[in-house]
Structures are given as C-alpha cells and as structure tokens.
Amino acid sequence: MQQLKQYCLAEKLEQALGNPESPDNIMSYKQVVDIDESEAFPHEQVNWLYNWKLQNYYVPQEYGGEFTSFEEFVAIVRVLCRRDQTIGIAFTTMFWSFITWMAGTPEQKAWLSNYMRNENGAMCLGYSEREHGADLTGGDLSAKKVDGGYLLNGEKWPINRATISGISYILAKTEDSTAARSLSLFMVDKSRLNPDQYYNLPKILTHGIRASDMSGIGFKDCFVPDDMLLKEEGAGLELALKGFQITRTLCSAFSHGAADTALRTTLKFALSREVYGTTVFQMPQPRHTLVNGFLDLLICECETIASARGFHVVPQQFSVWAAVVKYFVTIQLENMINDISVVLGSRFYMREEHDSGIFQKVLRDNSIISVFDGSSVVNLHALLLQFRQISKSRSRRNDTKMEQIGQRLNTIFALDQELPKFEPEKLELVGRGADDVLQGLEITLDQLKMLKEKNAISPEIIEPVIALTQAILEELDAHDRLIANSAFEYGHNQSPELFELAKKYCTLHAAASCVQMWVYNRENLDEFFAEGKWLILSLNRLLAPFGRSHPVPAPYMETVAQQLVKLYEQKQMFSIVPFQLATL
C-alpha cells in the first residue's frame, strides 16, 4: 500500500524526532515528563522545531510559507502531540495566524509571514477575561480611538503563551455596549509597545500542560497604532467566531496525538504484564477495553480527516462542522483515555513507573482540550442554534443539490483526490443549513446498495453496513421531526433536552463520516480497512445508545484486536492511513 503524499511531511518529522521511548531523543517521554515536573517552558524543544523550520508549515504558500492543506497540518500536530501536548500546543498557537491570513491587509500578511518564518515569531489569543469567560461581548477591555491609533485598557486571561509570544490577538471594545459590532480585533506587536503601558500576568498553575506559559496580559492606556487593527472597527466578533471555526477543528489533532500514546503505552503494558498465568491482553475484559479504545480512535479519525479536508471544499459549512468536531472528537478521546486507564491498574496514577509515567501526563494534559476555544457546552450551543436551518435545508434538497453534494463528498472523503486551495474568506458565521456529511448520506446508501447488487462485498459485511447506515438516516429523520415540533427559540436559555439532541447529532455525524470514509477509500487503503469489520463494530458502538445496534459475530472483535497488535508491533500509527513511526 503506497503512502499518501499528504502524510509524507508528518512522517519525515516523526523520523527526525526519533522514537519517544528512547530517553535521549528530543521530546522523549523521559524528557517531556521531566519538563512537566519542572513546570519550566520547553524552550529547547520549541527551538528545535523552529530550527527544523516547522513554522513554515503554518504560513500559506501564497504568503511565502509551505502550508498546503489542513489534512497535512493535522498529521503534523498528531506527531508532536503523541510526544507531548504541552510542546505541541505551545508551538501550534501559531495557527492563530489564520485570522490574519483571513482578514489582514497585504501589508499585515507580508509582515506576519516574515515574522513567523524568519524571526521564529509566535502568537497568542486574548479573547476571554477573568470575570466574563466565554461571554465575549460582555468583556471589559476597551480600545479608545485617538490620533493615529487606539488606547487599550484592561486585561485578558487566561491565555496560553501570553508572556512568551511577540504577537497578541486582542479582542477589545471600541463601543461601550454588548452589541455584536461593539468589538474590534487587534494584532498587537508587543515589540512596538511602550513597555510601561502593558504588563504580563503571573503564570497560572495548572493540573495538566504544567510547563506551558499559561498566563495573561494587561494594558494601561497602552497605545497601539492603526495598522494593528484587523479589518475594521466592529468586525472583531465576526473574526473571532470565524477564527474559532479553524482552531476548534484543529484541536482534534491535539487529542489524536495524546490518545495514540495513551493506547500505545497501555497496550505495551498489557502485552508484557503476566498475571494469573497469562498476559493482561489475553484476558477478555482488558482486551475488549483496548479494542474499543482502538475503535474510538478510528471513528474520530474519520471525522477529523474529513473535516480537515472539508475546509478546502465547504468552508462555508464550518459553523456546523467545527462545532461537531470540537465536541465529539475531544470528548470521545478524553473518555477513551479514561476508559483504558483501568487496564494499567494502579500504574495509570503513577508519575514514573511505566514509560516514565507518560500515561499520567497524557491523562492530565488531554483533559483541557475539550475546554480550549470554547467548551463542550459552548460548541453544542453553537450547533443547536442552527438546527432549524439544518432541518429545513435537508427537507428542501432536490436532484441538482444532491448531485452537487455527491461531487463534494467525493472530494472530501476520497483521500487520493486533490484538494482545492483553502479560501478563508468563504467562512461564514452561519452555515445556512448546509451539512453535506449527513445531508448526503442517502447518496452513500445508494452506493452501498449498488455494491451489494454487484456482489462486490460479501453479504456478511455489506448487509449490516446498509442496515446500520439506514439506521443513521432514520435517527436523522427523527431528529428533524423533533426540531420541527419543538418550542425552539434562539438565545442562551436552551433546554437540557436540546443539548442532548445536539450530542446525538454529533454522534450521527461521526457515524456518517465512518461510512463515507469506507465507501470512498475501500480500494485505496489496506485490507483491514477495506474488509469493513471495523466499520460494523464502530457503527454499532455509536448507535447502541439509541437502541440501533446490529448483531455482530464474535470473531470481528478478534480481527480488530489482531490489527491493533499488528500496528503496534510494526511501529505504525493507530490509524486508517499508513504511517510509519520512528524506531530509533
């Protein structure tokens, strides 16, 4: 099976970093745990990444960088975060640069490109405030217009990399109200500020990512020139929300890296640990737990890879898709890590005993990812506010629209298809009811039925896949009926039942992504993927809470267990795509 070219760069980085189990390698488990214990910012490791020129891949090609696709980007971040989320997150604060690529002037873009590529420049995001949290329009930090610029007053907190970064994206009030147009966004270059007019807040002590620069920034009559304003006055909230569509989606890569390591180190223990005359992995319950953890990774990868590719095809749908990915993937993998911890027994709680205590660090670090860039509640709320439009749009589809959706799905899910260039200017605050993944599932169901008619797949596989796909559609129909008959109102006072409905929608979205990933790549990936037993188990796992599971032969779990061990022994990423890990 040939390596997909969009994964070659990440594999090159993986080999350069070396096997994290080797203590002397940069970003080894031993090194990152020691850094975590010291709580000191990992300057040496971050500088190594700069010297490798990884920062160039955060800058689009049209502005002098090497960024080509979000699919490639996600793979890079997974490589970093399978070693250490602290370092991966600290370096990847640079993806806030996409706000400038989206809304900056040509001069701002050129300056930022040079700053990132040639000056090892990093940035942070100052949106939230101690007293207001996610209530962005309720913030107090103000920007008063004066000749040639603005005077900033107030504080932003908490901010990752607030102190150790040269650029701060600061959301400030240019109008004394809570209206949507009261906020403006500034790309603040700290090197151009009067040091007496701004200050850094103390480091925040955290349970996880303890070596990160988690702090804040404050301003006191701090003058910032006009050329630091992005777009125009009043555009701040729009830019903030569109920026979140990018970063919320990409947060899934942080979780994937951590989950791979959690599963890998736990499997290593289970294969070698002997109790009661056998290995832990040969015992039915631990084996079942680890196989389910592997399935969770595959499910989340289908959702994540599709979303990374979707940015290039349907950016205007990401007010929906970003909320789905940020909620589902980060929570699913957070739960997965907690679930497999029982296999390690008491060692999951130890900071030194097994693989330098990397599992304990992963467990602590990863728990913050679901909170980043909008908590689960924030993302579910953003999603459910669009349910009426989504349901109406689905009911109004016609043959022409379905044909267009089918063409887009092929580009999104077929991993051998070239992607168009990402066009951030096409991001929209609301998706106008469009969600190709679920609204195009009938197309995929028809493809499955054609495969059955052609006898292209054995009946024991294709029939349950069709039945489970039909179940997704029936649950989606029920969702639309509930929305149509609900006392739905816009605003923040939404019922708990609507939040549960939003969670269900995310699960159906992930299930549809799994089916579509399989249909469009059966002939591109390996035999395990093509055979489809993993898909049946995954769909069962997702649909079981709704009472829609399908009987599965017992040997299917054994097939997945064997693939899990195979990937481990061959030093491959736990992934649906071929990805060789470093061995030295």
Side-chain angles (χ1 to χ4, degrees), residues 283-296:
M283 300 172 71
Q285 181 58 26
R287 191 181 187 87
H288 184 80
T289 299
L290 291 171
V291 169
N292 279 336
F294 182 38
L295 290 172
D296 284 341

Side-chain angles (χ1 to χ4, degrees), residues 309 313-314 317 397-414 417 435-447 516 519-520:
R309 293 178 63 86
V313 184
V314 287
Q317 296 185 18
R397 291 168 301 167
N398 54 38
D399 291 344
T400 300
K401 288 184 178 179
M402 290 300 283
E403 182 179 354
Q404 293 168 346
I405 289 173
Q407 292 170 354
R408 293 194 293 265
L409 287 176
N410 181 66
T411 305
I412 291 169
F413 283 95
Q417 292 288 306
D435 181 2
D436 285 355
V437 173
L438 282 171
Q439 291 172 2
L441 193 57
E442 286 95 340
I443 298 169
T444 308
L445 183 60
D446 288 342
Q447 291 171 312
Q516 287 157 341
V519 167
Y520 287 100

Side-chain angles (χ1 to χ4, degrees), residues 87-103:
I87 296 168
I89 293 166
F91 197 83
T92 302
T93 60
M94 282 192 289
F95 67 19
W96 283 113
S97 61
F98 275 93
I99 296 172
T100 301
W101 313 137
M102 174 174 59

Side-chain angles (χ1 to χ4, degrees), residues 81 85 254-264 297 333 336-337 340 362 366 574:
C81 288
Q85 281 183 323
F254 298 148
S255 296
H256 273 286
D260 187 284
T261 291
L263 182 58
R264 192 170 302 277
L297 262 174
L333 294 182
M336 173 271 226
I337 292 171
I340 66 173
V362 166
N366 188 66
F574 295 138

Side-chain angles (χ1 to χ4, degrees), residues 14-128:
E14 166 71 24
Q15 300 305 317
L17 287 167
N19 186 348
E21 295 182 33
S22 301
D24 294 334
N25 284 341
I26 195 80
M27 291 175 64
S28 69
Y29 296 152
K30 176 68 167 62
Q31 283 196 20
V32 300
V33 168
D34 287 346
I35 291 168
D36 193 62
E37 292 291 325
S38 73
E39 302 194 35
F41 188 81
H43 288 286
E44 179 185 354
Q45 287 73 18
V46 168
N47 287 338
W48 186 96
L49 297 174
Y50 278 126
N51 290 334
W52 202 80
K53 299 300 180 182
L54 187 60
Q55 66 274 22
N56 292 353
Y57 296 92
Y58 292 68
V59 180
Q61 289 179 321
E62 58 264 41
Y63 306 124
E66 301 291 342
F67 173 87
T68 57
S69 78
F70 284 107
E71 185 181 10
E72 180 180 76
F73 185 89
V74 163
I76 291 169
V77 176
R78 286 178 71 174
V79 165
L80 295 180
C81 288
R82 93 173 190 92
R83 291 165 168 79
D84 185 29
Q85 281 183 323
T86 301
I87 296 168
I89 293 166
F91 197 83
T92 302
T93 60
M94 282 192 289
F95 67 19
W96 283 113
S97 61
F98 275 93
I99 296 172
T100 301
W101 313 137
M102 174 174 59
T105 64
E107 293 77 16
Q108 287 170 328
K109 294 173 181 177
W111 179 85
L112 185 61
S113 173
N114 179 70
Y115 172 73
M116 293 173 66
R117 292 181 298 110
N118 300 321
E119 299 181 33
N120 294 353
M123 54 221 59
C124 66
L125 188 79
Y127 283 5
S128 62

Side-chain angles (χ1 to χ4, degrees), residues 487-506:
F488 179 86
E489 297 291 342
Y490 292 101
H492 289 282
N493 295 324
Q494 303 295 335
S495 70
E497 290 77 15
L498 272 175
F499 278 91
E500 290 304 312
L501 196 60
K503 292 178 183 179
K504 182 176 181 178
Y505 187 90
C506 294

